[in-house]
């Protein structure tokens, strides 16, 4: 594989007037690294106040951590995120975007900021994609199964998986490392498709034990 790459690189090299070998890729790489990055997302209008924060404190904190610029349209819920001259992390715009999306999906800023930690990801499940048939009360019923009485089911999934979960509107958002997210997502999908709560709890217990025995990358809560 390395030989193939070297051959490809050599193909695009040329000798300049000073006799030094250069690559046609060099200029484009420099330009790309300095070029402006942009992301656009739309969040529910009722979550805009949470994103902005008291006197703009939350938005400002996201901008300071990622060294990006965030513009919010309070009328439409549209959020524009772009890199700045100070942006030094190539993933900064994406990180800011995911934090904005997490807040838009019901997470508090404090919990959404977990995404700034290395290896943490955001997964959003659209419950409408899971619902089968046209049952009128399907969505409220599924939401109720995932949240549980006084929020207990959601808490159990969080405790057993190590992930943070937000049930908001037609979506369930999950924050955690990839293994935590995969465990929580499977549990949520099982509940949404009608699996008994006891069966789902047993699944969570089994996955947690398996990972502990295997020495997998797992960090539970509590």
């Amino acid at each position: 594989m390395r030989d193939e790459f070297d051959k490809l690189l050599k193909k695009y090299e040329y000798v300049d007037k000073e006799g030094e070998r250069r690559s046609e890729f060099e200029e484009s790489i420099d330009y790309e690294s300095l070029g402006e990055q942009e992301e656009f997302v739309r969040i529910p209008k009722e979550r805009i106040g949470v994103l902005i924060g008291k006197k703009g404190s939350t938005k400002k904190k996201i901008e300071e951590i990622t060294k990006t610029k965030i513009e919010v349209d309070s009328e439409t819920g549209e959020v524009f995120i772009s890199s700045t001259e100070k942006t030094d992390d190539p993933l900064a715009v994406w990180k800011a975007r995911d934090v904005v999306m997490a807040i838009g999906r019901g997470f508090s800023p404090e919990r959404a900021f977990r995404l700034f930690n290395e290896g943490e990801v955001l997964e959003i499940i659209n419950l409408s994609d899971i619902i089968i048939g046209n049952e009128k009360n399907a969505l409220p019923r599924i939401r109720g199964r995932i949240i549980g009485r006084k929020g207990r089911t959601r808490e159990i999934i969080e405790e057993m998986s190590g992930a943070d979960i937000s049930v908001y509107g037609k979506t369930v958002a999950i924050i955690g490392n990839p293994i935590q997210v995969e465990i929580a997502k499977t549990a949520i999908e099982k509940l949404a498709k009608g699996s008994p709560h006891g069966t789902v709890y047993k699944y969570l217990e089994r996955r947690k034990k398996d990972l502990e025995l295997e020495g997998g990358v797992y960090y539970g809560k509590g």
Side-chain angles (χ1 to χ4, degrees):
M1 183 65 71
R2 179 65 188 175
D3 290 340
E4 291 179 8
F5 177 78
D6 289 340
K7 288 179 182 177
L8 182 62
L9 188 61
K10 189 173 183 180
K11 179 182 176 183
Y12 287 95
E13 284 181 335
Y14 63 92
V15 178
D16 64 15
K17 292 180 180 178
E18 278 67 41
E20 293 184 7
R21 191 170 291 279
R22 297 180 60 192
S23 169
E24 292 180 8
F25 290 140
E26 285 181 14
E27 195 170 345
S28 62
I29 290 172
D30 290 339
Y31 177 82
E32 185 67 30
S33 64
L34 295 172
E36 185 177 26
Q37 292 177 299
E38 293 180 320
E39 284 288 330
F40 159 78
V41 295
R42 181 181 281 109
I43 67 173
K45 287 191 281 187
E46 60 267 24
R47 298 296 297 172
I48 291 174
V50 182
L51 171 61
I52 295 174
K54 190 174 182 180
K55 295 182 179 180
S57 58
T58 302
K59 182 174 83 72
K60 185 178 180 181
K61 188 170 184 179
I62 299 171
E63 290 176 323
E64 288 177 348
I65 292 173
T66 59
K67 299 178 183 178
T68 60
K69 181 181 179 181
I70 298 173
E71 298 175 86
V72 183
D73 188 327
S74 300
E75 296 296 320
T76 63
E78 295 175 339
V79 183
F80 296 89
I81 306 151
S82 58
S83 58
T84 67
E85 292 180 355
K86 295 181 179 179
T87 306
D88 51 14
D89 180 355
L91 302 178
V93 173
W94 291 346
K95 289 178 181 177
R97 174 202 62 191
D98 284 354
V99 170
V100 168
M101 289 176 64
I103 292 173
R105 288 294 95 205
F107 281 111
S108 67
E110 292 73 24
R111 296 219 293 171
F113 287 172
R114 177 178 175 178
L115 287 163
F116 288 135
N117 298 329
E118 187 176 353
E120 302 290 291
V121 297
L122 172 69
E123 177 87 19
I124 298 176
I125 302 171
N126 191 332
L127 295 177
S128 298
D129 295 336
I130 301 175
I131 296 173
I132 300 173
N134 298 314
E135 183 186 338
K136 186 177 180 181
N137 297 318
L139 183 60
R141 178 176 56 78
I142 290 174
R143 280 169 47 88
R145 298 194 84 231
I146 295 167
I147 295 171
R149 189 173 182 181
K150 296 183 179 180
R152 185 54 185 154
T153 299
R154 183 186 61 211
E155 288 177 2
I156 290 172
I157 298 173
E158 288 185 327
E159 289 169 6
M160 300 297 287
S161 70
D164 285 322
I165 296 167
S166 173
V167 183
Y168 183 86
K170 297 180 180 180
T171 65
V172 179
I174 309 168
I175 295 175
N177 67 43
I179 292 175
Q180 294 169 337
V181 168
E182 184 266 325
I183 292 171
K185 181 179 179 181
T186 300
I188 289 164
E189 289 179 340
K190 284 178 179 290
L191 288 171
K193 293 176 181 178
S195 294
H197 283 77
T199 301
V200 174
Y201 297 156
K202 287 179 182 177
Y203 158 76
L204 289 167
E205 289 175 1
R206 185 176 70 252
R207 283 304 309 272
K208 184 178 181 181
K209 288 178 181 177
D210 288 346
L211 286 168
E212 287 172 349
L213 289 171
E214 294 170 3
V217 182
Y218 174 88
Y219 305 99
K221 293 193 172 186

